[in-house]
Amino acid sequence: MSQTATVQPVTRHLRQIVASGVGNAVEWYDWYVYSFLATVFAPQIFHAGNSTADVLSAFAVFAASFLLRPIGGLLVGNLADRIGRKNTLVLTISTMGLGSLIVGLTPTFEAVGVWAPIILVFGRLISGLSVGGEFAANTVFLVESAPPNRRGFYSSFQYVSTTLGQLLASGLAALLVNILSPADMSAWGWRIPFIVGALLSLVGLWIRRGTEETLVVKAITERPKLFDALVKYPKPSLLIIGVTIAGTILYYTWTTYLATYVPANGGVNSGQFLIISTIALFFFMVIQPVIGILSDRWGRKPFLIACAGIFALGIVPALSLFSHSEFAGTLVITLLGMLVLSGFTAISAAVNAEIIPTHVRSAGIGFPYSLTVALFGGTAPFVGTLLKSWGVPGYFGWYVAALCVVSLLVYIFALKETAHKPLPE
């Protein structure tokens, strides 16, 4: 085989990964900019007169936008099963850019009154619809682009790109917080990351238009109907829910809610934790492919079981330790959590794709996954903040631990090892 023939497949696969990843990074950059800056812009938009009420309102919108994710997963996922993954991914990155732009240009409550939160909600709902469809198409696109013995490795780039977007969000937020005065940050500085996100979406759109389609439609195959995945494959749909519960609550707890929880309860301030978060996210991004490669060799189940089991036992002590830790201790705890969490994130795309057949794969993953994320992941910051306002912040750790136990039972007793089997047709 010539060197040219060897290089061409490598280049093609790399192009598929980059095309998928750049759009995914932009999608999640916008998502996490909102969570990082919620405490800054909430008083400008909601104007409740109470800082806790304003933050609760901002996180309620964050949670509400997740409610459209299952709809996006179903509608856009079915679209990906019908017209292909590539065209669908172009659509999702375009709508995410629009949602980000709307939020960045939202007028203040003082300027337009109640229309301010209405406009903000509209922008976030567009983003929620887009992200639900994004995961449905992007997960399948990545795994279908992979050689059979590298699906875990390719799967890991789902969260490599997600984390890259989050790093950009965290880094830009930290930069703005440290160079702008609190008054400037509150008045106009918080808008900058959202407008940057809208511009970055144009880059993602351009790159995705050059990717290759992975869906092969057979001439005799009937185009799937909207609810075919749920009606014809109910057990795989339920299995995806069980697989996802622990991973999503852990992911949003560790990468989103900690930005609010630690400064309020720990020994570091918001600026310091943004630095910790940036370091931890970089580590998290680097470790993903390693776990993905190991899962291709050792299987998916050991990593899923380890992730859910360790957090089930350790989440309550870990959250308690944050209350007594300074910068170094907080960084160590955060890094250890990221390492354990990688047991789910690096391989979740592969696990989901290996559960359900090709012709309904995007919708079959998109709806149950996004529904689970909406119920347990998107609500994590709100539940944590609400429990704190009730004077029982410690209950949040037990809530997370209980959900980890649910998925742990699924991993042990219901999930079959799929790493070394072909994708279901």
Side-chain angles (χ1 to χ4, degrees):
M1 181 180 295
S2 67
Q3 183 177 2
T4 301
T6 303
V7 170
Q8 285 180 346
V10 173
T11 303
R12 180 176 63 83
H13 286 300
L14 179 62
R15 185 170 62 244
Q16 295 291 95
I17 292 174
V18 172
S20 168
V22 67
N24 199 37
V26 172
E27 297 269 2
W28 289 94
Y29 162 88
D30 170 86
W31 206 251
Y32 287 106
V33 158
Y34 183 95
S35 65
F36 287 143
L37 297 178
T39 57
V40 177
F41 67 75
Q44 301 293 317
I45 304 300
F46 297 99
H47 206 62
N50 178 284
S51 59
T52 300
D54 286 331
V55 173
L56 274 174
S57 297
F59 279 138
V61 173
F62 185 82
S65 61
F66 274 75
L67 296 178
L68 274 187
R69 290 187 59 160
I71 299 174
L74 182 62
L75 295 179
V76 182
N78 180 253
L79 194 65
D81 289 330
R82 294 175 65 87
I83 69 171
R85 325 302 190 198
K86 172 185 173 180
N87 292 333
T88 305
L89 290 174
V90 168
L91 174 65
T92 57
I93 191 65
S94 301
T95 52
M96 177 59 76
L98 175 62
S100 183
L101 183 63
I102 290 173
V103 173
L105 298 179
T106 298
T108 64
F109 189 95
E110 184 177 346
V112 297
V114 72
W115 282 104
I118 291 175
I119 293 171
L120 181 75
V121 168
F122 179 66
R124 295 318 298 168
L125 291 181
I126 291 177
S127 297
L129 186 66
S130 174
V131 171
E134 166 68 18
F135 187 89
N138 198 23
T139 295
V140 173
F141 178 83
L142 263 179
V143 178
E144 288 178 347
S145 297
N149 62 340
R150 288 291 182 267
R151 292 197 300 263
F153 174 65
Y154 276 58
S155 168
S156 69
F157 285 93
Q158 180 80 26
Y159 278 90
V160 168
S161 56
T162 295
T163 308
L164 178 60
Q166 194 173 355
L167 269 173
L168 292 174
S170 175
L172 183 55
L175 177 64
L176 291 173
V177 166
N178 284 282
I179 67 174
L180 295 178
S181 68
D184 287 341
M185 191 67 193
S186 177
W188 54 268
W190 66 268
R191 300 179 184 276
I192 294 175
F194 291 104
I195 295 173
V196 169
L199 295 175
L200 289 175
S201 69
L202 297 177
V203 177
L205 176 63
W206 174 71
I207 294 177
R208 281 189 167 178
R209 291 184 63 183
T211 194
E212 295 182 13
E213 182 55 64
T214 63
L215 176 65
V216 178
V217 179
K218 298 179 181 179
I220 60 173
T221 300
E222 182 182 354
R223 295 294 179 91
K225 297 180 177 64
L226 186 61
F227 295 102
D228 273 3
L230 298 175
V231 173
K232 297 180 179 180
Y233 303 96
K235 289 184 179 180
S237 296
L238 290 173
L239 185 57
I240 288 174
I241 290 174
V243 167
T244 305
I245 287 175
T248 189
I249 185 65
L250 290 173
Y251 182 74
Y252 285 96
T253 296
W254 217 252
T255 66
T256 301
Y257 180 58
L258 286 189
T260 300
Y261 177 86
V262 173
N265 298 279
V268 299
N269 58 39
S270 296
Q272 290 175 315
F273 190 76
L274 279 172
I275 296 173
I276 290 172
S277 177
T278 302
I279 296 171
L281 285 170
F282 181 79
F283 169 77
F284 186 62
M285 181 177 66
V286 171
I287 202 67
Q288 298 299 304
V290 176
I291 303 298
I293 291 171
L294 292 176
S295 79
D296 284 327
R297 177 175 296 183
W298 298 341
R300 321 292 188 214
K301 290 186 64 169
F303 293 95
L304 293 172
I305 291 171
C307 176
I310 292 173
F311 267 113
L313 295 174
I315 184 67
V316 173
L319 292 177
S320 178
L321 284 174
F322 279 125
S323 302
H324 308 287
S325 301
E326 299 297 331
F327 187 93
T330 300
L331 176 61
V332 171
I333 298 168
T334 306
L335 289 175
L336 288 174
M338 291 294 194
L339 177 61
V340 177
L341 179 58
S342 297
F344 170 83
T345 57
I347 61 176
S348 62
V351 172
N352 287 331
E354 291 164 354
I355 288 174
I356 199 158
T358 300
H359 65 287
V360 293
R361 185 168 290 141
S362 286
I365 293 173
F367 180 74
Y369 175 88
S370 297
L371 178 64
T372 310
V373 172
L375 292 175
F376 301 106
T379 58
F382 179 78
V383 170
T385 304
L386 184 63
L387 290 173
K388 182 178 184 298
S389 71
W390 288 349
V392 287
Y395 285 9
F396 181 72
W398 292 105
Y399 167 70
V400 175
L403 294 179
C404 287
V405 171
V406 172
S407 283
L408 182 61
L409 296 175
V410 172
Y411 301 152
I412 295 173
F413 298 109
L415 182 67
K416 296 180 180 179
E417 183 57 70
T418 56
H420 307 120
K421 298 180 180 178
L423 288 173
E425 292 294 334

